[in-house]
């Protein structure tokens, strides 16, 4: 079976660059990709394999269901032209970027008493900076996510890191509570802006079949921050003073920013497609500039360059208007409440019960931190394994090079199957942790239980985060920003009231209530798995029609402008004759 005989996969905006022709992409690959021959050989091998599979398994079958269509591999361009080594480099830098935001939030905890004393304010006033930090942590990605989906990932990363660096310098130098409050919000705006971007980058370079492992690595950066942050903060605050915390964060930002500006390529699919379109202007790295300074920078005629506009946070809020997205984001927020109430109260509860100092309290975060990191990385590989398992069961062929259209594929089932057992075990462990604190058992008991909470309660974060990107491939950074908005606002409320609940109900019933919260709402996952595919197809169809309408309107405007320009041009010619 040759290429012309294969059943084409109808593009729905799901994992494919929308309108680029095959011929123009192949021309771009010639000038953009160093290992052109290697990519071509891989492409030919993939075509040959898909041809053999289609011949062996498809002859004599007159029916053509959606899953059979999915099993046939398009001969179009690869999903991403970046080599595996470049992908690893991009993911590594994104992992470090993801690490910055949570460590910034948690490194601050051990310094709260010292800051209160140095600035002459109460601990309650210092705690207010935590609440405002989390509010901006929720709002900032709504701007940066929308901006990155239009202008590209690199400009958004660089602007966010610049804001973050300036805020840290100000925080290290300030000696006033008002300045601390304002600069802490600015610091949150810069560091949290990258949260939406890191998942968007993974969606740019990895198809759904191998997205789990990359998401797991990036997620490890997000989850390890809460573990090592208090340890670093406690050591710096005790031996070098609280300003050293912010100088440390300045150094961290500079160490990340220099290699990023120099050598991390643009991945935004609306800017560089699958990586084969040469970047322009501020999307270029220094290496890009050196590489292409003597070459013409012609972009394909079929590529429509995105017009820059002001970021619109309402695009993020609009994500919540979809039934499947609203339900999955709401449940993810419930799980995040369970995680935040543990991390926000761990130091205070252990200090009250066991009378530990700052460094000892920081070390108590290691079990949950190690667990969240292990679950993130390992969970990513488990996700990819489950994807392959279900695809094989359904007879769907996976093309890791070009990606696949998820139309008709139960991606909700693939991701959520793994969440059910973790939530069930996590609820039991969470309740055990609650009553271990209530009865003031040996410290090993709550610490061991916190490890399993890190595995079973925060583990589902990664599965749901990947599903969110799968369900919204046309704007993954915006969808991640919506996820961050929901969970951070929920976390801010939870951390603000949890101490009052503990004081009123006691440790046992307070944390039992949190466990029941994310357990009672867990049937929402089954609803998403059952009805989510239908809702997803309905949303994609609406978006497809809206895109066609916008394209028709744009062509109509172009035609009108062309007619007007021709009229203006021809009129002087007629008078001269």
């Amino acid at each position: 079976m040759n290429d012309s005989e294969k059943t084409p996969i109808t593009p729905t905006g799901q994992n494919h660059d929308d309108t680029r022709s095959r011929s123009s992409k192949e021309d771009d690959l010639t000038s953009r990709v160093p290992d052109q021959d290697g990519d071509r050989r891989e492409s030919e091998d993939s075509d040959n394999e898909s041809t053999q599979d289609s011949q062996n398994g498809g002859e004599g079958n007159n029916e053509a269901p959606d899953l059979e269509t999915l099993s046939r591999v398009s001969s179009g361009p690869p999903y991403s032209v970046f080599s595996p080594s470049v992908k690893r480099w991009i993911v590594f830098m994104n992992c470090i970027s993801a690490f910055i935001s949570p460590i910034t939030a948690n490194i601050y905890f051990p310094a709260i008493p010292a800051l209160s004393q140095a600035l002459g304010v109460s601990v309650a006033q210092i705690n207010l900076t935590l609440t405002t930090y989390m509010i901006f942590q929720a709002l900032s990605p709504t701007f940066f996510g929308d901006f990155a989906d239009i202008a590209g990932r690199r400009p958004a990363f660089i602007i966010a890191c610049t804001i973050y660096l300036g805020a840290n310098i100000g925080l290290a130098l300030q000696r006033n509570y008002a300045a601390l409050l304002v600069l802490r919000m600015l610091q949150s705006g810069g560091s949290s802006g990258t949260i939406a971007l890191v998942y968007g980058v993974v969606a740019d370079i990895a198809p759904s079949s191998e997205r789990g492992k990359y998401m797991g690595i990036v997620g490890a950066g997000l989850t390890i921050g809460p573990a090592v942050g208090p340890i670093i903060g406690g050591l710096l605050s005790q031996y070098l003073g609280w300003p050293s915390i912010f100088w440390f964060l300045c150094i961290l930002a500079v160490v990340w920013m220099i290699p990023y500006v120099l050598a991390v390529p643009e991945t935004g699919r609306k800017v560089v497609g699958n990586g084969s379109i040469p970047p322009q202007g501020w999307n270029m790295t220094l290496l890009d500039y050196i590489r292409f300074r003597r070459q013409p920078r012609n972009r394909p005629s079929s590529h429509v360059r995105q017009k820059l506009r002001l970021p619109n946070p309402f695009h993020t809020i609009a994500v919540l208007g979809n039934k499947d997205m609203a339900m999955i984001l709401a449940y993810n927020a419930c799980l995040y409440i369970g995680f935040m109430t543990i991390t926000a109260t761990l130091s205070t509860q252990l200090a009250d019960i066991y009378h530990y100092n700052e460094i000892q309290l920081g070390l108590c975060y290691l079990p949950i931190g190690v667990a969240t990191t292990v679950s993130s990385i390992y969970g990513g590989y488990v996700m990819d394994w489950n994807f392959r398992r279900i695809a094989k069961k359904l007879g769907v062929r996976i093309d890791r090079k070009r990606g696949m259209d998820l139309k008709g594929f139960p991606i909700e089932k693939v991701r959520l199957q793994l969440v059910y057992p973790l939530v069930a075990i996590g609820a039991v462990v969470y309740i055990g942790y609650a009553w271990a604190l209530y009865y003031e058992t040996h410290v090993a008991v709550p610490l061991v239980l916190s490890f399993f909470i890190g595995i079973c309660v925060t583990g589902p974060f990664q599965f749901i985060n990947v599903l969110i990107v799968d369900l919204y491939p046309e704007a993954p950074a915006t969808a991640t920003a919506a996820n961050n908005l929901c969970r951070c606002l929920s976390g801010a409320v939870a951390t603000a009231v949890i101490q009052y609940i503990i004081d009123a109900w006691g440790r046992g019933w307070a944390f039992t209530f949190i466990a029941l919260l994310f357990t009672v709402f867990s049937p929402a996952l089954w609803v998403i798995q059952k009805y989510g595919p239908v809702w997803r197809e309905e949303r994609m169809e609406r978006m497809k029609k809206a895109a066609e309408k916008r394209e028709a309107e744009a062509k109509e405007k172009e035609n009108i402008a062309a007619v007007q320009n021709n009229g203006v041009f021809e009129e002087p010619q007629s008078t001269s004759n």
Side-chain angles (χ1 to χ4, degrees):
M1 182 184 295
N2 55 36
D3 289 345
S4 63
E5 294 173 337
K6 293 181 182 178
T7 304
I9 299 177
T10 304
T12 61
Q14 197 104 352
N15 297 330
H16 285 289
D17 204 20
D18 293 329
T19 59
R20 303 189 57 220
S21 65
R22 180 182 176 186
S23 60
S24 64
K25 289 185 178 181
E26 290 176 348
D27 293 340
D28 293 334
L29 285 171
T30 304
S31 60
R32 181 71 174 89
V33 186
D35 192 12
Q36 175 189 355
D37 295 335
D39 284 341
R40 184 176 298 166
R41 285 192 298 270
E42 292 177 9
S43 177
E44 292 173 354
D45 293 341
S46 180
D47 288 341
N48 292 336
E49 291 174 3
S50 63
T51 302
Q52 293 172 2
D53 289 346
S54 299
Q55 290 174 341
N56 294 336
E59 294 179 356
N61 187 3
N62 296 326
E63 298 181 358
D66 289 341
L67 289 179
E68 182 182 350
T69 302
L70 280 172
S71 68
R72 299 182 180 180
V73 181
S74 170
S75 61
Y79 184 86
S80 175
V81 300
F82 294 113
S83 65
S85 60
V86 173
K87 287 183 180 180
R88 287 191 292 268
W89 166 242
I90 293 171
V91 170
F92 170 75
M93 289 298 292
N94 272 263
C95 181
I96 302 301
S97 174
F99 170 75
I100 290 176
S101 179
I103 194 178
T104 302
N106 290 271
I107 199 173
Y108 186 71
F109 291 162
I112 289 177
L115 277 166
S116 174
Q117 185 177 0
L119 301 181
V121 296
S122 65
V123 172
Q125 287 176 294
I126 298 296
N127 284 338
L128 181 61
T129 65
L130 301 177
T131 303
T132 56
Y133 183 95
M134 293 194 69
I135 292 174
F136 272 75
Q137 191 178 37
L139 297 177
S140 176
T142 64
F143 291 90
F144 280 101
D146 184 54
F147 177 72
D149 281 333
I150 297 298
R153 314 302 185 199
R154 280 182 54 82
F157 267 120
I158 293 171
I159 292 173
C161 191
T162 302
I163 294 172
Y164 175 72
L165 181 61
N168 278 314
I169 294 174
L171 284 166
L173 297 175
Q174 60 80 29
R175 298 296 184 271
N176 179 271
Y177 174 71
L180 174 68
L181 189 65
V182 173
L183 290 171
R184 183 73 171 158
M185 290 187 288
L186 192 63
Q187 181 194 44
S188 175
S191 65
S192 305
T194 62
I195 294 177
L197 307 181
V198 293
Y199 287 116
V201 169
V202 174
D204 293 337
I205 64 174
S208 297
S209 59
E210 57 183 22
R211 193 169 287 165
K213 64 180 179 181
Y214 291 125
M215 286 285 198
I217 295 171
V218 170
L222 286 169
T223 55
I224 198 173
V228 302
I231 300 173
I232 298 173
L235 292 171
L236 292 174
S237 178
Q238 184 163 339
Y239 294 107
L240 297 177
W242 63 264
S244 64
I245 292 176
F246 302 111
W247 288 123
F248 169 81
L249 295 176
C250 286
I251 295 170
L252 179 63
V254 171
V255 168
W256 176 86
M257 194 173 185
I258 290 175
Y260 183 86
V261 171
L262 292 177
V264 177
E266 176 61 64
T267 63
R269 298 185 73 85
K270 292 184 180 180
V271 178
V272 296
N274 64 353
S276 60
I277 302 176
Q280 302 285 323
W282 62 353
N283 298 107
M284 296 176 63
T285 66
L286 180 60
L287 294 182
D288 283 332
Y289 175 76
I290 296 173
R291 193 180 189 184
F292 298 114
R293 68 185 186 278
R294 295 180 182 176
Q295 298 180 14
R297 308 292 292 163
N298 296 327
R299 297 164 75 87
S301 58
S302 61
H303 179 78
V304 179
R305 189 169 185 176
Q306 297 289 325
K307 293 182 179 180
L308 290 182
R309 54 171 171 76
L310 291 176
N312 187 353
F314 291 103
H315 289 168
T316 299
I317 298 174
V319 174
L320 300 173
N322 302 292
K323 289 178 285 189
D324 53 346
M325 296 297 292
M327 292 188 69
I328 197 70
L329 294 177
Y331 187 73
N332 204 30
C334 291
L335 288 173
Y336 191 70
I337 288 174
F339 173 69
M340 281 304 301
T341 51
I342 290 291
T343 56
T345 60
L346 184 64
S347 60
T348 56
Q349 295 304 310
L350 297 186
D352 290 343
I353 298 172
Y354 306 106
H355 310 292
Y356 288 160
N357 59 34
E358 293 176 350
I359 296 178
Q360 289 173 315
L361 291 174
L363 292 172
C364 290
Y365 280 87
L366 277 178
I368 190 171
V370 171
T372 54
T373 304
V374 170
S375 66
S376 178
I377 297 175
Y378 182 71
Y381 286 94
V382 172
M383 272 189 281
D384 290 344
W385 166 81
N386 200 46
F387 191 104
R388 294 191 300 269
R389 182 183 68 86
I390 293 182
K392 182 178 180 180
K393 183 178 180 180
L394 296 175
V396 178
R397 172 161 176 77
I398 299 173
D399 185 0
R400 292 186 177 88
K401 186 172 180 61
R402 295 183 179 88
M404 57 182 283
D405 191 341
L406 295 180
K407 184 177 182 180
F409 186 77
I411 190 64
E412 293 85 357
K413 178 180 179 180
V414 171
R415 306 305 188 198
L416 295 180
Q417 263 189 344
L418 306 168
V419 175
Y420 302 126
L422 291 176
V423 170
I425 298 171
V428 175
V429 173
Y430 209 100
I431 294 173
Y433 172 87
W435 294 100
L437 292 181
Y438 177 82
Y439 289 109
E440 300 184 2
T441 62
H442 190 277
V443 68
V445 177
L447 291 184
V448 169
L449 291 174
S450 72
F451 175 86
F452 287 101
I453 289 173
I455 294 288
C456 299
V457 177
T458 62
F461 285 166
Q462 302 308 319
F463 304 115
I464 294 177
N465 288 338
V466 176
L467 177 60
I468 289 169
V469 173
D470 290 332
L471 295 179
Y472 226 80
E474 65 282 349
T478 301
T480 305
N483 180 32
N484 195 71
L485 176 68
C486 293
R487 68 179 189 175
C488 285
L489 288 180
S490 301
V493 173
T495 55
V497 302
I498 185 61
Q499 190 58 50
Y500 296 104
I501 297 176
I502 292 174
D503 293 340
W505 295 357
R507 300 186 186 103
W509 286 114
F511 289 107
T512 299
F513 169 75
I514 300 297
L516 293 176
L517 180 68
F518 62 76
T519 304
V520 167
F521 288 104
S522 60
L525 300 175
W526 178 85
V527 175
I528 295 167
Q529 179 177 323
K530 183 174 178 60
Y531 300 103
V534 177
W535 295 339
R536 170 162 51 99
E537 295 303 326
E538 291 175 353
R539 184 178 72 252
M540 289 300 174
E541 188 63 28
R542 290 195 304 269
M543 296 179 69
K544 182 181 179 181
K545 291 180 180 179
E548 291 174 351
K549 183 178 179 181
R550 288 194 301 269
E551 184 178 353
E553 292 175 351
K555 287 183 178 179
E556 184 178 354
K557 290 180 180 179
E558 289 178 1
N559 293 334
I560 293 174
V563 171
Q564 292 175 346
N565 291 337
N566 290 335
V568 171
F569 178 75
E570 291 173 358
E571 187 173 335
Q573 283 185 333
S574 61
T575 56
S576 63
N577 292 335

